[in-house]
Amino acid sequence: MGHTGGYEALLQRVREIYGAQPALQAFAPFPNDLAPQAVTPRLRAPYALLRAETKLASRAFADLHAAIIAAGPEMLWRETYPEGHPETAFMERWGCFSIVGEGGPFASRQVRIFVVYMPARLYYPWHTHPAEEQYLVIAGQARFKRQGRQDEILSEGQVMEHESQEAHAIETEDHPVLCLVTWRSHLNTPPVLVPDTQA
Ligand code: FE
């Protein structure tokens, strides 16, 4: 049994972007084993922030941005890190849901595909995961930090990759950011926060 409406529209927008972006296909081909799965929607506060953004606009990916807004109430907004601790207070404004993978409307054994949203002036602290990861900036801008490397400020259309277990952090300044994120390995091991390795 397939999905209708918002989930399929969202997936179709992602498929189109993979088709148009060689860097995404080079990291991981668009999955060919997708299977619809039931979602238990859970809205979290960052969705309202995303909806209210007036400074977030995408030229090349406006259709995906619109599909994310439209499908938002039907998604499971993730509690990626245990809440209620000082170090996870950023979660109150950090938004993430799966399109492909656990909690999302489509299953695959090949990849996980997420949406990540951060409003302006938010710091997503250092973390690691065994999964190899790729970010595509859909709209806005953020500073991407990797252990032992120069920070990079990325905006729409730019891509960042994180190696397995490479510590990384993301910080927004004057602009919010909306990203499409792919994992291509170790799909079932969640990320963990780690101490600030650049202090
Ligand atoms: Fe990551």
Side-chain angles (χ1 to χ4, degrees):
M1 197 175 78
H3 288 305
T4 56
Y7 295 144
E8 287 294 343
L10 190 56
L11 185 69
Q12 183 57 25
R13 298 291 88 78
V14 174
R15 186 185 282 117
E16 289 165 3
I17 290 171
Y18 268 73
Q21 299 281 324
L24 270 61
Q25 292 185 47
F27 182 77
F30 192 77
N32 62 12
D33 67 339
L34 290 172
Q37 62 185 3
V39 178
T40 304
R42 184 173 61 219
L43 210 43
R44 297 182 64 255
Y47 174 67
L49 300 179
L50 172 60
R51 252 194 101 93
E53 287 285 1
T54 54
K55 291 174 70 175
L56 195 63
S58 182
R59 293 176 298 279
F61 311 111
D63 289 350
L64 177 61
H65 185 182
I68 289 167
I69 298 284
E74 306 306 319
M75 310 309 292
L76 191 169
W77 290 74
R78 298 173 60 79
E79 292 169 15
T80 303
Y81 301 94
E83 292 182 279
H85 305 277
E87 63 271 23
T88 57
F90 73 95
M91 289 278 297
E92 293 166 17
R93 295 195 298 142
W94 182 84
C96 177
F97 63 73
S98 298
I99 300 173
V100 175
E102 185 190 342
F106 300 94
S108 170
R109 294 185 175 180
Q110 299 165 358
V111 292
R112 293 182 75 160
I113 301 176
F114 308 92
V115 168
V116 167
Y117 159 69
M118 292 173 57
R121 308 220 169 272
L122 183 63
Y123 179 58
Y124 175 12
W126 291 95
H127 58 281
T128 63
H129 40 71
E132 301 164 282
E133 177 176 69
Q134 183 188 59
Y135 272 72
L136 169 69
V137 177
I138 295 298
Q141 179 176 295
R143 177 184 295 273
F144 286 76
K145 305 163 83 70
R146 292 178 291 177
Q147 182 175 6
R149 305 210 216 186
Q150 286 274 332
D151 291 1
E152 292 187 34
I153 294 177
L154 302 189
S155 54
E156 178 179 331
Q158 295 187 294
V159 165
M160 171 60 66
E161 292 180 8
H162 301 128
E163 298 171 6
S164 181
Q165 298 294 13
E166 182 179 31
H168 52 285
I170 302 173
E171 186 169 22
T172 52
E173 294 165 356
D174 291 340
H175 300 275
V177 74
L178 183 64
C179 299
L180 188 67
V181 183
T182 302
W183 280 13
R184 70 176 180 187
S185 57
H186 300 280
L187 305 183
N188 296 313
T189 306
V192 292
L193 297 178
V194 296
D196 182 344
T197 52
Q198 289 195 334

